[in-house]
Amino acid sequence: MTVTSEQRFGEFVVVRRHEGREHVAELVLDRPKAMNAVSTDMARSLAAACEALGADRDARVTVLTSSHERAFCVGADLKERNSFTDAELVRQRPTARAAYTGVLELPMPTIAAVHGFALGGGFELALACDVIVADATAVVGLPEVSVGVIPGGGGTQLLPRRVGAARAAELVFTARRVEAAEARELGLVDELVAAGRDREEALALGARMAANSPVGLRAAKKALRLGHGLDLRAGLEVEDAAWRSVAFSGDRAEGVAAFNEKRSPQWPGE
């Protein structure tokens, strides 16, 4: 794929657009020498990239990828953490949280393209996405209790929403690593593809999503996120509010017109 634009955030995070997929933003974890271990600098850059993407109305879908051939992300930078005093760890916590919540709160659909190791905070970054595409080499898990902490990037909340409370408890308490086939069977990942195909398949899926109304995509994501866990009546109110936010939009008018005129819509994005 031809890169049409590239913006770097600090040393370790890149946002790319590709020819023919201009509405799909590729958010690249780019610290290959450390297998994308999330340092303070990388966390700060990831949060900044997510803030910029959230404000970019041209980005209809974001795909989170890795530049390392054998890992998506191995989690927090434990070498850096080992050098922290207790006070420094407390001060660093908001920076770390901002990286994970930055991905989680992106307003457009998000897809993680996972290969190799996605462990601890690395798997939490994938869990923060709406869909996870993994290749046959993927190994995922939340091993934090094995080093005396807990998943702190959203794992204890996001994992049970995917696989249920009991399964999440087993995975967190055992700290075990799960290989690709079992991960797909348990619902830890959503699509399983051939080795080396995770990025291309995730970008292709993103392109299919991005062909749809950007207003509709963001409203649908908001309804899905806000309605999750509510009782049905409350969830339907969330859905109704989201519907009202798009019912009188330019995208809705264009979508109906394009359908009736038997042509592809030209979304105004508003």
Side-chain angles (χ1 to χ4, degrees):
M1 288 177 291
T2 302
V3 176
T4 57
S5 69
E6 180 172 298
Q7 182 178 5
R8 183 166 287 277
F9 292 83
E11 187 178 354
F12 304 126
V13 177
V14 183
V15 174
R16 294 189 180 122
R17 301 293 180 90
H18 302 277
E19 184 178 351
R21 294 176 177 171
E22 290 80 4
H23 296 297
V24 178
E26 183 181 8
L27 177 58
V28 187
L29 305 176
D30 188 32
R31 195 186 178 205
K33 291 182 179 179
M35 300 180 82
N36 290 328
V38 183
S39 64
T40 302
D41 285 346
M42 185 174 177
R44 189 176 292 114
S45 296
L46 187 55
C50 289
E51 183 178 5
L53 281 170
D56 184 353
R57 303 298 297 187
D58 197 47
R60 299 179 187 174
V61 177
T62 294
V63 178
L64 181 62
T65 71
S66 161
S67 65
H68 194 285
E69 64 181 14
R70 293 188 296 109
F72 175 72
C73 173
V74 294
D77 186 339
L78 296 184
K79 289 183 179 179
E80 179 188 65
R81 294 282 179 91
N82 192 50
S83 71
F84 285 170
T85 65
D86 288 351
E88 288 170 336
L89 183 60
V90 169
R91 286 195 296 270
Q92 194 260 2
R93 175 62 175 165
T95 302
R97 285 195 69 186
Y100 298 103
T101 57
V103 175
L104 183 64
E105 295 178 358
L106 281 168
M108 74 289 286
T110 51
I111 305 167
V114 174
H115 60 267
F117 297 112
L119 301 173
F123 189 38
E124 288 174 306
L125 288 173
L127 289 171
C129 294
D130 299 302
V131 178
I132 302 174
V133 175
D135 84 353
T137 70
V139 178
V140 305
L142 297 176
E144 284 87 347
V145 298
S146 69
V147 294
V149 291
I150 70 166
T156 66
Q157 305 306 303
L158 295 170
L159 188 59
R161 284 168 166 78
R162 268 190 164 268
V163 299
R167 178 63 69 192
E170 182 264 320
L171 292 166
V172 170
F173 297 160
T174 62
R176 72 183 179 95
R177 300 179 179 191
V178 182
E179 295 187 0
E182 185 185 4
R184 176 65 184 88
E185 181 181 344
L186 297 179
L188 299 174
V189 304
D190 302 300
E191 294 191 20
L192 186 58
V193 300
R197 293 288 301 170
D198 56 295
R199 176 175 173 269
E200 177 56 39
E201 295 292 344
L203 288 168
L205 176 60
R208 293 197 296 274
M209 293 179 181
N212 297 307
S213 158
V215 170
L217 288 170
R218 292 186 179 219
K221 175 165 180 170
K222 188 173 183 180
L224 286 164
R225 286 288 178 90
L226 293 181
H228 187 90
L230 300 179
D231 65 65
L232 179 58
R233 187 179 296 274
L236 290 172
E237 291 302 316
V238 168
E239 181 183 81
D240 186 65
W243 178 86
R244 291 175 185 276
S245 74
V246 301
F248 310 104
S249 68
D251 273 15
R252 179 261 178 189
E254 168 61 10
V256 172
F259 177 84
N260 284 291
E261 295 166 15
K262 296 181 173 57
R263 60 174 175 81
S264 297
Q266 301 298 313
W267 305 114
E270 57 185 20

